[in-house]
Amino acid sequence: MPPGSEPASATGSVGIVVPQQHTFTEPLELACGRTLRDYTLVYETYGELNAERSNAVLICHALSGHHHAAGRHSPDDKRPGWWDNYIGPGKPIDTDRFFVVSLNNLGGCHGSTGPADTNPGTGKPWGPDFPMLRVRDWVHSQARLADALGIEQWAAVIGGSLGGMQAMRWALEYPQRLRHCVVIASAMKLSAQNIAFNETARQAITSDPDFCEGRYLEHGSLPRRGLAVARMIGHITYLSDDGLGRKFGRELRSGTFERGVEEQVEFQVQSYLRYQGDTFSGSFDPNTYILMTRALDYFDLAREYGDDPVAAFRNARCRFLLLSFTSDWRFAPERSREIADALMHANIPVSYAEIESAMGHDAFLLPNDRYRRVFGTYMDGVAAECMGEAGH
């Protein structure tokens, strides 16, 4: 059991967890040509690593890059980790059977080395000078964390959205180091529309007068308004029209349409988006948001394989599970089917399920009975392999 953890409750929670960190002193060469001399990764673990070290599962996070995926940091926490619906005793990623590792990616703002940290070369915050990162850089740093934890091979590498891109990159960069790759609501590269949404969000941040060309920490400022708008833009794309309609419709939070009354009206959905933006802008670093959306834009799994995804996937040695959601228009089911087709033509074992949901891209985070059954059944097979290797 990881240091600081408490036993899971009967409700399927991993209980109280304490983040851990590891500082690496071996320089990391990055895809952009620059090198990080040393860096720190913050992570959490749930469950126990078996004697054979064969039951480890890596969780690759989506855009906001937080290590806190399950459980709570204190009994007073209002919300558990971001994927608590699917990580814990009896859940698809069953911590009674798996040793689960979830980390804050390099460049993040929740403890891992990122733009808000001090640049050792200047003694000032890195800010916009932090090296440009690619998905492969995250994968290489995650491989080093696996080395530090004594994990030679993952039972599974799992990720949704941007996390799914990391999982696929794992299958190509370290084919012998994972047995299963679970890719949820993801794509082999972004569409032009997706890139456009990300650029609009970045422009919202950089246009804020308090952005100060990315050196806001040196000026004692923070572009909260721009970051809030960026989050609002992103949040809209994670939801579906039907989902927003079911949740808010045209309900009013304040004001009236009564004839003869001049009063400003606020819709419930407006209030919800402002709340999401304000909350996010108080906890996330704007330079990290810019860095991570760019990494998302730049990802193209097959670029260096002659733009042939079949040729790319011929390097993989693991089995794949692909999951998509019917109302997800940001990472539509067609993108997952493209991955499945490429894998089949590369003769790589793959299972695929399209899950009915009205919740848009965010569906991969939310409760859904069929999603839980399909995901859980596949992970049951992964766990059975681990038990076999452990001699049970």
Side-chain angles (χ1 to χ4, degrees), residues 118-138:
T118 301
N119 179 347
T122 65
K124 298 178 180 179
W126 277 102
D129 298 328
F130 194 81
M132 183 183 300
L133 297 177
R134 303 282 182 88
V135 168
R136 67 176 69 245
D137 297 319
W138 290 330

Side-chain angles (χ1 to χ4, degrees), residues 158-186:
I158 303 174
S161 191
L162 177 57
M165 294 175 174
Q166 295 166 61
M168 287 186 286
R169 182 60 73 189
W170 258 97
L172 303 190
E173 297 291 318
Y174 298 96
Q176 304 298 337
R177 298 197 66 172
L178 69 162
R179 299 193 299 278
H180 295 268
C181 182
V182 180
V183 181
I184 306 170
S186 193

Side-chain angles (χ1 to χ4, degrees), residues 21 28 61 77 134 145 170 182 205 221 250 311:
Q21 68 177 39
L28 180 66
H61 197 280
D77 279 357
R134 303 282 182 88
L145 179 61
W170 258 97
V182 180
I205 295 171
S221 62
R250 291 177 54 83

